[in-house]
Amino acid sequence: MTYRGIKRAKSPRLTWEWPPQYPNGVLKPGFKEYLDDISVCQSLVEIFNELVDLDLKLKWNNNKEGVEAFITEDGTINVPKMHPNRRILVKHEISHPAFGSCFTKLKAFLNYMVDRLDPNGTLTEREKLAIRSDCSLIHNIFEDVRVDSCWAKVFPGDGRDLEDWHENEIGPEILYKSRKTYKNGNIKSLGLFICLVILKQPARSTKWEKYKSRILKCAEDVKLVNFDTCIIYIKDLIFDLLTDQLKAKKPNNSQQGTSGQGGKSGKPKSGKGQANSNGQNN
């Protein structure tokens, strides 16, 4: 299990002129800046290990898109080494353990949501797995908002940088790509819609639009609270969202039956009872 944030825009990879040094052995500015940045990120992890009594490890990966950063349950922070905003990513991932993100409590919450959504035990294991995945995604979006707000309270400059990056770079980029996926601009993906709403983008969805005000309210409610309180604020919203999603995925058998003419079966009305792609994790 990992914490993955809303940092999934296709940020361009950094490059530098090769070879990285001049003939006299002096490092070129681009490569020197890269090495300095790597050193600062490593120092950040070491400082917070001391300050908050953590045991974090920093792992640079070779994600060719330079996109996704995440922290694993054992405290390993994975960051694309060529990402142009390495420091922001490292600070964000540090903020999860520093401000109380808890994998054990998250697992308990996912089990609670499965039990609440399936009180009679009729769902298949595959359906339960899908619930856990979707619930984890939605929770993580709001958990990112929570820890970012806590970090910004302590480090206002970082908070301004993070907000600017989210709203002026990541948000517009995700919106642009969503419009290429959904040609008419009608977003079917639940996770994508929540991300865009929180990033203050003009997202539109006939399926999920009715939840927009509640999403925005929860995004405000979870700021500067602890992990447990965040769950309390968002649990009913997540329940309603996933209930809606489950209804959309289940076939409507009530439309089927015999017509009374030669024993022919009646056909479901067009579009009824068909599984759709709502809530896929984009």
Side-chain angles (χ1 to χ4, degrees):
M1 183 174 287
T2 60
Y3 271 114
R4 301 171 187 266
I6 52 179
K7 312 165 291 301
R8 302 186 69 168
K10 304 292 185 182
S11 301
R13 302 181 77 208
L14 291 180
T15 58
W16 55 75
E17 184 183 353
W18 195 261
Q21 70 274 340
Y22 296 109
N24 62 1
V26 176
L27 296 178
K28 294 180 179 178
F31 187 65
K32 185 178 186 305
E33 181 181 359
Y34 164 77
L35 292 180
D36 289 345
D37 209 40
I38 293 290
S39 177
V40 168
C41 290
Q42 185 62 53
S43 295
L44 280 168
V45 172
E46 293 172 1
I47 289 170
F48 271 85
N49 278 342
E50 291 292 328
L51 285 177
V52 198
D53 193 24
L54 300 174
D55 186 25
L56 303 177
K57 300 169 286 293
L58 185 57
K59 178 181 178 182
W60 299 104
N61 62 50
N62 291 311
N63 189 329
K64 292 185 178 181
E65 294 176 338
V67 186
E68 190 170 22
F70 57 93
I71 184 169
T72 60
E73 198 164 354
D74 68 355
T76 300
I77 296 173
N78 293 263
V79 179
K81 66 181 180 180
M82 301 305 292
H83 197 286
N85 287 298
R86 286 181 295 264
R87 292 192 195 188
I88 291 180
L89 293 183
V90 170
K91 291 173 182 178
H92 170 81
E93 299 307 334
I94 290 174
S95 70
H96 277 292
F99 293 107
S101 296
C102 179
F103 285 102
T104 301
K105 291 179 179 179
L106 174 59
K107 291 175 184 177
F109 174 60
L110 299 182
N111 291 334
Y112 159 80
M113 289 304 301
V114 169
D115 292 341
R116 188 176 172 188
L117 286 161
D118 186 29
N120 300 318
T122 58
L123 296 179
T124 65
E125 288 304 315
R126 184 174 181 178
E127 289 171 323
K128 292 178 182 179
L129 182 63
I131 289 174
R132 286 188 174 89
S133 176
D134 291 336
C135 181
S136 179
L137 169 69
I138 299 170
H139 168 270
N140 191 52
I141 294 171
F142 288 103
E143 180 66 3
D144 276 352
V145 174
R146 183 187 76 82
V147 298
D148 285 345
S149 72
C150 294
W151 188 276
K153 186 70 173 179
V154 180
F155 306 104
D158 288 343
R160 288 190 292 271
D161 288 344
L162 192 59
E163 183 178 17
D164 178 70
W165 184 40
H166 279 173
E167 295 182 10
N168 297 320
E169 294 185 43
I170 293 181
E173 180 69 11
I174 295 176
L175 180 64
Y176 171 76
K177 291 185 178 298
S178 73
R179 288 173 172 170
K180 291 179 68 175
T181 302
Y182 302 102
K183 302 300 182 181
N184 61 359
N186 181 23
I187 297 172
K188 296 180 179 180
S189 165
L190 172 56
L192 178 58
F193 180 72
I194 295 174
C195 274
L196 289 170
V197 169
I198 290 178
L199 290 170
K200 301 180 181 179
Q201 301 302 307
R204 186 170 60 84
S205 174
T206 55
K207 174 66 176 175
W208 305 113
E209 190 76 28
K210 60 187 176 183
Y211 294 102
K212 187 172 183 178
S213 62
R214 290 179 65 187
I215 291 169
L216 289 171
K217 184 178 187 307
C218 283
E220 287 300 314
D221 288 343
V222 301
K223 291 179 179 179
L224 301 177
V225 301
N226 61 29
F227 184 86
D228 296 1
T229 305
C230 176
I231 287 179
I232 291 171
Y233 278 134
I234 67 177
K235 63 182 178 64
D236 289 337
L237 172 62
I238 294 179
F239 175 79
D240 290 343
L241 288 167
L242 296 186
T243 297
D244 217 347
Q245 187 162 265
L246 282 171
K247 289 179 181 177
K249 289 181 177 180
K250 286 186 177 180
N252 188 350
N253 294 325
S254 63
Q255 297 293 334
Q256 296 180 347
T258 58
S259 65
Q261 300 295 324
K264 294 181 179 179
S265 297
K267 295 181 179 179
K269 293 182 180 179
S270 176
K272 297 290 186 181
Q274 302 299 315
N276 57 38
S277 60
N278 290 343
Q280 290 180 342
N281 298 347
N282 289 351

